[in-house]
Amino acid sequence: MKITSCVVLASFCFGAGAYAADELIVLKAARMFDGKSNAVVQNGVIVVKDDKIEDAGSNLQIPGGARVIDLGDATLCPGFMDAHTHLTEDFSGNYNEHRLQELDLNVSEHAIRATEFARVTIEAGFTTVRDLGSRFVASHEFVDVALRNSINKRVIVGPRMLVATKGIGATGGHFDPTNGFRDFLFGREPDYTDGIANGPDEIRKAVRFEVKNGADVIKAAVSGGVLSLTDEVDTPQLTPAEMAALVDESHRLRKKVAVHCHGDQVAREAIDAGVDSIEHGSFMKPDTLTMMKKKGIFLTPTLTASEWIMGKIDNYPPALQAKAKAATAARSEMFRNAVKMGVRISFGTDAAVFPHGQNAKEFKLMVDLGMSQVDALKSATANDAELLGIAQKVGTLEKGKLADVIAVLGDPTADITATERVSFVMKEGRIVRQGPSGVEKAEKSASPNVSALAD
Ligand SMILES: [Zn+2]
């Protein structure tokens, strides 16, 4: 009983972000994947000083006086990244209940729930997320910006966030928050302050408005989507001229552009316009993938989202069921082709469509559709760091990078589902989690001894 209490207390202190200032921490495990190599090395050692990696390699000598944390039969990896989340939202339950809840709940209550979503995401080993859209009907609150800032100020525990604020889309398109509601129920048509813009000039205005309010990245819905009531899933929703304005204005302001896009025709137009990543990409044909590859544009496949929707298809209205079935049927072949053709793939899940914290399930789906284990791991580390424009700071385990380090039990290059069994999380040199997560503790009546996990 006493031991258990100590472990719980220690975990609580770590959770609160005990900092390792002036102390060398050495992380040891049976293996290490550094984010660059094509294999794991044995006897991984990482030396951490303050918020940075001092050294990382196999069988490194342990400096005297260092605090050594032996993580046992585990693999040290760079903190995982998810390039497509919605940490301020949760669409995972019954669609109509969610729709009603969106009208019922105060936006502050949504924000409080989001702090829990942030915590379970980092506890699952995801130390960075790109959060691609946060909107509440008839509200102008920037909950994603508040969440990001509160994490940066260490008011709450969560992953590093790059946020997109509202996202940009056309009237009646996938992002129109009043889609499917009675006309003028909310008293006005949404405008650029809600991310809804029509015509190149308004698109520029919407980009400027979002950057003014804290956007790190610009997201736009250029085609229809699955979970929206009044559009077809693959139809174009922005014109080539609007996309040209979107990309030009965003890049002038040094922001990358991620586009929600299922349809093939509009994907080609978005690629021509020079977007940085295509999200979903369900119906893209091989010729379109060739165009992407030539331009080095990333594909963020979000396989977990469609898998979740198909597994709970009765939760959705009939019109959405038909769209989900069509998109899911097309996306597996599209993804297999993208892997075969060597299109750059960024790891992204669309967390919120399924429960937060289950992000790592994407790895197995990628591997099942033909990606190698190592390439899947690279997609969530080095590739995402490059797409997010933060590769100089994170994404690999090497000297001088920020100490975002996780451990997964077993060897993910032998069994990719090891990524779902995270035993340790460090972000910027601070231990977020050692041993069971809060969710796992709640599931078990007694917390296991941390040292038992390290055996
Ligand atoms: Zn999304």
Side-chain angles (χ1 to χ4, degrees):
M1 186 64 193
K2 262 190 176 167
I3 290 170
T4 306
S5 316
C6 289
V7 171
V8 170
L9 184 63
S11 304
F12 175 77
C13 292
F14 292 137
Y19 196 36
D22 297 329
E23 181 189 31
L24 280 183
I25 296 184
V26 171
L27 306 174
K28 278 178 64 179
R31 288 164 297 274
M32 183 177 87
F33 172 71
D34 65 8
K36 301 178 293 180
S37 319
N38 283 325
V40 296
V41 296
Q42 301 302 307
N43 301 317
V45 177
I46 302 172
V47 182
V48 177
K49 183 160 187 282
D50 300 333
D51 60 346
K52 295 211 174 59
I53 295 172
E54 183 97 340
D55 208 355
S58 173
N59 286 311
L60 296 184
Q61 190 158 11
I62 293 173
R67 175 178 155 213
V68 179
I69 300 176
D70 187 346
L71 296 158
D73 182 20
T75 305
L76 295 165
C77 298
F80 292 147
M81 299 185 206
D82 188 330
H84 192 133
T85 66
H86 303 277
L87 284 190
T88 63
E89 307 189 45
D90 176 14
F91 314 119
S92 66
N94 177 282
Y95 183 86
N96 284 325
E97 278 175 24
H98 163 75
R99 205 164 146 77
L100 185 60
Q101 200 174 53
E102 200 180 340
L103 300 177
D104 284 347
L105 290 190
N106 189 300
V107 176
S108 304
E109 192 168 343
H110 282 290
I112 290 167
R113 287 200 321 172
T115 63
E116 175 65 5
F117 301 151
R119 190 180 63 75
V120 300
T121 301
I122 194 167
E123 287 195 345
F126 288 79
T127 50
T128 304
V129 303
R130 187 175 66 160
D131 206 67
L132 290 184
S134 170
R135 58 171 73 237
F136 301 93
V137 64
S139 161
H140 279 142
E141 293 292 323
F142 289 88
V143 179
D144 56 350
V145 172
L147 196 63
R148 176 198 65 194
N149 293 352
S150 300
I151 291 167
N152 288 347
K153 292 172 186 167
R154 301 201 185 96
V155 176
I156 55 169
V157 175
R160 175 182 303 102
M161 292 177 76
L162 280 78
V163 306
T165 71
K166 312 286 175 195
I168 295 171
T171 293
H174 180 58
F175 279 178
D176 187 329
T178 63
N179 256 347
F181 289 108
R182 191 186 75 223
D183 58 331
F184 290 96
L185 176 63
F186 304 102
R188 65 175 181 89
E189 269 293 287
D191 61 17
Y192 74 96
T193 62
D194 308 283
I196 301 306
N198 299 282
D201 287 350
E202 265 197 32
I203 296 272
R204 285 185 193 274
K205 193 171 180 180
V207 170
R208 290 168 181 169
F209 176 78
E210 295 195 350
V211 172
K212 168 185 163 181
N213 283 288
D216 302 298
V217 55
I218 296 299
K219 165 83 176 295
V222 302
S223 91
V226 172
L227 298 184
S228 42
L229 283 166
T230 59
D231 57 353
E232 293 181 43
V233 66
D234 61 338
T235 51
Q237 294 186 343
L238 294 192
T239 64
E242 288 171 327
M243 285 189 268
L246 172 83
V247 172
D248 182 60
E249 194 61 39
S250 303
H251 286 177
R252 279 169 180 276
L253 300 178
R254 299 206 181 97
K255 306 298 176 198
K256 298 211 181 190
V257 180
V259 291
H260 159 104
C261 179
H262 288 282
D264 183 63
Q265 179 199 329
V266 69
R268 298 170 77 91
E269 293 167 355
I271 293 162
D272 270 339
V275 301
D276 298 286
S277 64
I278 301 257
E279 311 297 304
H280 319 303
S282 309
F283 298 97
M284 287 196 293
K285 294 183 178 141
D287 285 356
T288 312
L289 294 168
T290 303
M291 287 172 66
M292 273 183 93
K293 188 184 173 186
K294 277 191 190 146
K295 289 190 104 171
I297 293 170
F298 281 95
L299 166 69
T300 314
T302 68
L303 305 172
T304 320
S306 40
E307 203 72 11
W308 172 268
I309 293 171
M310 292 307 290
K312 310 260 178 192
I313 195 78
D314 292 342
N315 278 343
Y316 303 90
L320 303 196
Q321 291 185 18
K323 294 203 283 184
K325 284 176 187 165
T328 308
R331 64 83 157 136
S332 299
E333 192 191 340
M334 180 282 297
F335 182 77
R336 275 200 200 94
N337 288 337
V339 170
K340 271 190 224 143
M341 292 165 66
V343 173
R344 295 210 286 181
I345 292 173
S346 38
F347 183 103
T349 63
D350 221 351
V353 172
F354 61 92
H356 293 285
Q358 298 186 15
N359 316 55
K361 290 189 170 169
E362 184 84 10
F363 285 107
K364 181 172 188 298
L365 297 173
M366 293 167 110
V367 169
D368 285 350
L369 289 175
M371 200 173 199
S372 76
Q373 282 97 336
V374 164
D375 284 345
L377 292 169
K378 281 186 179 171
S379 77
T381 53
N383 288 13
D384 270 7
E386 193 185 338
L387 171 62
L388 272 55
I390 53 176
Q392 74 286 4
K393 286 198 287 190
V394 288
T396 54
L397 298 175
E398 51 190 327
K399 183 178 167 60
K401 294 242 169 134
L402 289 172
D404 283 11
V405 185
I406 65 166
V408 301
L409 296 177
D411 178 357
T413 62
D415 173 6
I416 194 67
T417 66
T419 53
E420 299 170 32
R421 295 183 287 279
V422 169
S423 61
F424 177 85
V425 179
M426 169 181 273
K427 181 183 154 206
E428 296 181 11
R430 290 165 183 265
I431 298 167
V432 174
R433 170 181 167 192
Q434 188 172 357
S437 69
V439 174
E440 287 161 353
K441 279 179 205 156
E443 281 169 357
K444 290 174 187 163
S445 52
S447 303
N449 189 326
V450 168
S451 62
L453 282 171
D455 286 340

